[in-house]
Amino acid sequence: MPYFAYISLIHLYESLGWWRRSSEAKRVHFAQEWNEYVHLLCMESLGGDALWRDRFLAIHAAILYYWILVGLWFGSPTIAYKFSELIEAHAVDTYSEFLDANEALLKQLPAPRIAREYWGSEDRQLFDDFHVNPPRQNLKCDTLYDTFVNIRDDEKEHVCVAAACATPGAKVTPRPDPSVSIAIATAVTVASLAFQKYFAESTGADEAVSDAVLKSGPEAFDAVAEVLARLFPFLM
């Protein structure tokens, strides 16, 4: 869920012209999102979605989590990444405790098919893409214990990615204050119209004055367009 929210916000910022250097971040977050999707499929294959109340809680918690992350990102991408880092670190601790408490039992149970296909696949591009550290090689996935070890180690890597993204360089450039820009654009437009009206109503205007009147329109338009371009970069 967090990575879908981040990709959504990165697309929005790029579309508005507020951030134009995030292709690598989108690639990494997509690989992370796919990895978490595989984790979800593993849990569902074990019956994690069998009860209606579990599905209901998971769906609505995901919606709430998505919008929390959207709000955090609008405030500061760095804070959003720090939040994800804490969540993923908690997941690592939870999986570690689960493995320690159930090691004997988990080693007796086979790994789900989706787990064997993902961690045992020869196509490792999506798996390798979200690694900050050197990608893990020759992953074992024969038992359910192996499956949860791989999930835990994936979460460790998500922690590293979040920590790497939570840097000053991850912040977006300051956005213009819309109220100020709109006020400037309005003032320039009004001044332009008043200027044209003044010269149009003047008596005895010679050719030079007429040329000034004709030029004032395009010049004023350029000034307004420049202000609008700073306010709404995606329009230009």
Side-chain angles (χ1 to χ4, degrees), residues 132-153:
V132 174
N133 303 307
R136 310 189 308 275
Q137 303 293 330
N138 302 319
L139 298 178
K140 183 180 178 182
C141 195
D142 298 326
T143 67
L144 199 54
Y145 181 84
D146 298 332
T147 300
F148 280 101
V149 167
N150 289 327
I151 292 175
R152 180 200 59 191
D153 293 344

Side-chain angles (χ1 to χ4, degrees), residues 156-191:
K156 287 182 180 179
E157 195 61 33
H158 292 315
V159 173
C160 295
V161 173
C165 291
T167 62
K171 295 179 180 178
V172 298
T173 55
R175 293 168 293 190
D177 186 347
S179 60
V180 174
S181 300
I182 292 174
I184 294 175
T186 302
V188 171
T189 303
V190 172

Side-chain angles (χ1 to χ4, degrees), residues 8-236:
S8 299
L9 269 296
I10 289 173
H11 273 297
L12 175 63
Y13 275 34
E14 286 182 338
S15 299
L16 296 177
W18 293 344
W19 201 359
R20 296 186 181 277
R21 53 182 179 80
S22 50
S23 296
E24 180 69 12
K26 284 188 296 183
R27 181 181 65 83
V28 172
H29 290 332
F30 177 77
Q32 289 182 287
E33 180 188 354
W34 188 263
N35 178 258
E36 295 288 6
Y37 171 64
V38 172
H39 293 181
L40 175 63
L41 292 180
C42 289
M43 300 306 172
E44 290 182 348
S45 69
L46 298 174
D49 64 339
L51 298 178
W52 176 87
R53 63 173 181 269
D54 292 337
R55 297 194 302 273
F56 180 87
L57 179 61
I59 291 172
H60 290 82
I63 294 174
L64 177 62
Y65 188 29
Y66 174 86
W67 286 110
I68 288 175
L69 290 171
V70 168
L72 286 175
W73 183 281
F74 269 118
S76 169
T78 298
I79 293 177
Y81 282 125
K82 283 292 186 182
F83 182 74
S84 288
E85 183 181 354
L86 295 175
I87 295 294
E88 299 292 4
H90 177 69
V92 172
D93 294 338
T94 302
Y95 283 120
S96 296
E97 293 176 2
F98 176 75
L99 286 166
D100 292 339
N102 301 277
E103 179 176 358
L105 175 61
L106 293 174
K107 287 184 175 180
Q108 298 175 12
L109 300 174
R113 179 178 58 84
I114 183 63
R116 296 193 303 271
E117 291 177 352
Y118 179 70
W119 284 289
S121 174
E122 295 181 358
D123 183 5
R124 295 173 49 90
Q125 181 175 353
L126 284 176
F127 181 77
D128 292 349
D129 278 350
F130 74 88
H131 281 69
V132 174
N133 303 307
R136 310 189 308 275
Q137 303 293 330
N138 302 319
L139 298 178
K140 183 180 178 182
C141 195
D142 298 326
T143 67
L144 199 54
Y145 181 84
D146 298 332
T147 300
F148 280 101
V149 167
N150 289 327
I151 292 175
R152 180 200 59 191
D153 293 344
D154 288 349
E155 300 296 349
K156 287 182 180 179
E157 195 61 33
H158 292 315
V159 173
C160 295
V161 173
C165 291
T167 62
K171 295 179 180 178
V172 298
T173 55
R175 293 168 293 190
D177 186 347
S179 60
V180 174
S181 300
I182 292 174
I184 294 175
T186 302
V188 171
T189 303
V190 172
S192 174
L193 294 176
F195 183 74
Q196 294 184 53
K197 182 178 180 181
Y198 171 78
F199 278 102
E201 292 178 351
S202 298
T203 56
D206 56 14
E207 184 177 353
V209 174
S210 298
D211 291 341
V213 173
L214 293 175
K215 291 180 180 179
S216 64
E219 291 173 354
F221 176 81
D222 291 340
V224 174
E226 182 178 356
V227 173
L228 292 177
R230 293 183 178 181
L231 176 59
F232 305 111
F234 59 91
L235 295 177
M236 304 299 175

